[in-house]
Amino acid sequence: MATPAQWIEGARLRTLPMALAPVVAGSAAAQALHSFEPVRALLALLVALLLQVGVNYANDYSDGIRGTDDDRVGPLRLTGSGAAAPGRVKAAALLCFGLAALAGALLVVLSRQWWFVPVGLSAVLAAWGYTGGRSPYGYRGLGDVFVFVYFGLVAVLGTTLTQAGTLNLEALVASLSTGLIATALLMANNIRDLPGDREVGKRTLAVRLGDPLARVVFTAEIAVAFALVLFLVPHNPWMLLVLLLLPAAWAPVATVLRVQDRRRLIPVLRQCGVLNVGWAVLFLLAVLLRQWA
């Protein structure tokens, strides 16, 4: 029987900032349209957090039963380590997905954005299909694409639309930038696991690119996420505040580019999560300062 501490570790709380950041950024874009709705923002956050925990448990289950986690560098995996029965981990994932669906349904009713129903269902299917099913797309190098789409475009634009009913340039830039940082976190994770993934036939994008190029792509994703802010500066000079995070961005970039001991890449995941939330918070602050000026 896994302990409560092991279940919490299995939830991979260090990845939760990736769920928080797009909701903050999408709500900031709604505020730029003077349409911020706190209840809908909270529901969007619940959906994002529950989906993130659900996909973490789903990956734990699917990788564990495939043997992918038998020899890994990172933190504890419930199924792979034998700490929890596979069925229990699967049930935890499905419970999270079910609760996310309930929160999402309420959000759809309040916002009357009925088109979001199929989008929400596709998000659940994408969460399971990353490492689950007969042909998981995470094993074919497509995980980065889905992370960018669902943790960037869908999460940010969906948050803005369910509050404001329309989109703006702020929402588009935020969706691209937060999606890129989320994808960079996945890339760092997969660079860490690259030898083991290659051994078991898990063809992540990092495996397909090879170690040196994967590290360059990680750097480019972080760089572009910040460069995109410049498109908003003519309209709102306060957006330059986001660039104050560039020194903090250098720490994970330097680690990924220089470090060969893959165990030392583990802190990069937390750093990317903090970076994404920091980006979203400064983005929100820039929106508020322009409206207060």
Side-chain angles (χ1 to χ4, degrees), residues 58 134 140 146 161 179 183 188 208-210 214 259:
R134 294 184 178 180
R140 292 181 283 127
F146 279 76
L161 275 170
T183 308
R208 290 181 178 273
L209 293 174
V259 168

Side-chain angles (χ1 to χ4, degrees), residues 180-229:
L180 282 168
I181 298 174
T183 308
L185 184 151
L186 178 63
M187 181 64 76
N189 179 80
N190 290 340
I191 292 171
R192 181 198 67 193
D193 294 340
L194 196 152
D197 286 344
R198 182 187 290 130
E199 183 73 19
V200 299
K202 187 176 182 180
R203 302 281 292 171
T204 64
L205 183 59
V207 170
R208 290 181 178 273
L209 293 174
D211 192 288
L213 185 54
R215 294 172 190 259
V216 172
V217 169
F218 170 89
T219 303
E221 288 167 341
I222 296 294
V224 173
F226 282 90
L228 286 169
V229 175

Side-chain angles (χ1 to χ4, degrees), residues 135-250:
S135 182
Y137 62 83
Y139 281 62
R140 292 181 283 127
L142 297 175
D144 301 72
V145 174
F146 279 76
V147 165
F148 177 75
V149 169
Y150 284 98
F151 285 89
L153 302 181
V154 171
V156 174
L157 301 181
T159 297
T160 303
L161 275 170
T162 52
Q163 293 180 49
T166 188
L167 296 174
N168 52 9
L169 183 59
E170 286 87 348
L172 177 59
V173 169
S175 69
L176 296 173
S177 292
T178 58
L180 282 168
I181 298 174
T183 308
L185 184 151
L186 178 63
M187 181 64 76
N189 179 80
N190 290 340
I191 292 171
R192 181 198 67 193
D193 294 340
L194 196 152
D197 286 344
R198 182 187 290 130
E199 183 73 19
V200 299
K202 187 176 182 180
R203 302 281 292 171
T204 64
L205 183 59
V207 170
R208 290 181 178 273
L209 293 174
D211 192 288
L213 185 54
R215 294 172 190 259
V216 172
V217 169
F218 170 89
T219 303
E221 288 167 341
I222 296 294
V224 173
F226 282 90
L228 286 169
V229 175
L230 298 177
F231 285 101
L232 298 174
V233 172
H235 175 64
N236 181 2
W238 289 107
M239 286 293 170
L240 289 170
L241 286 172
V242 176
L243 301 184
L244 293 175
L245 278 174
L246 283 173
W250 175 245

Side-chain angles (χ1 to χ4, degrees), residues 2-270:
T3 65
Q6 287 175 320
W7 279 105
I8 292 172
E9 185 174 0
R12 305 183 211 178
L13 299 186
R14 65 174 56 82
T15 65
L16 295 189
M18 291 304 164
L20 172 63
V23 176
V24 173
S27 297
Q31 176 60 33
L33 293 165
H34 302 281
S35 299
F36 173 65
E37 296 283 349
V39 173
R40 298 180 195 179
L42 179 59
L43 286 171
L45 180 59
L46 282 174
V47 172
L49 291 174
L50 286 166
L51 282 176
Q52 180 64 65
V53 174
V55 76
N56 288 341
Y57 282 138
N59 292 347
D60 188 307
Y61 164 77
S62 298
D63 283 342
I65 62 174
R66 283 189 170 89
T68 308
D69 286 340
D70 289 350
D71 184 19
R72 58 176 286 107
V73 176
L76 170 78
R77 291 295 180 263
L78 294 164
T79 307
S81 68
R88 289 182 177 272
V89 180
K90 181 180 180 180
L94 294 177
L95 175 61
C96 290
F97 292 150
L99 292 174
L102 288 175
L106 182 55
L107 178 59
V108 167
V109 170
L110 291 177
S111 65
R112 297 183 181 276
Q113 296 289 334
W114 307 109
W115 61 270
F116 208 68
V117 171
V119 173
L121 291 175
S122 74
V124 173
L125 292 175
W128 179 260
Y130 177 57
T131 56
R134 294 184 178 180
S135 182
Y137 62 83
Y139 281 62
R140 292 181 283 127
L142 297 175
D144 301 72
V145 174
F146 279 76
V147 165
F148 177 75
V149 169
Y150 284 98
F151 285 89
L153 302 181
V154 171
V156 174
L157 301 181
T159 297
T160 303
L161 275 170
T162 52
Q163 293 180 49
T166 188
L167 296 174
N168 52 9
L169 183 59
E170 286 87 348
L172 177 59
V173 169
S175 69
L176 296 173
S177 292
T178 58
L180 282 168
I181 298 174
T183 308
L185 184 151
L186 178 63
M187 181 64 76
N189 179 80
N190 290 340
I191 292 171
R192 181 198 67 193
D193 294 340
L194 196 152
D197 286 344
R198 182 187 290 130
E199 183 73 19
V200 299
K202 187 176 182 180
R203 302 281 292 171
T204 64
L205 183 59
V207 170
R208 290 181 178 273
L209 293 174
D211 192 288
L213 185 54
R215 294 172 190 259
V216 172
V217 169
F218 170 89
T219 303
E221 288 167 341
I222 296 294
V224 173
F226 282 90
L228 286 169
V229 175
L230 298 177
F231 285 101
L232 298 174
V233 172
H235 175 64
N236 181 2
W238 289 107
M239 286 293 170
L240 289 170
L241 286 172
V242 176
L243 301 184
L244 293 175
L245 278 174
L246 283 173
W250 175 245
V253 167
T255 300
V256 169
L257 288 177
R258 297 173 180 174
V259 168
Q260 296 303 312
D261 181 354
R262 297 182 193 277
R263 289 172 297 182
R264 293 177 60 190
L265 294 177
I266 295 174
V268 172
L269 308 186
R270 178 184 57 80

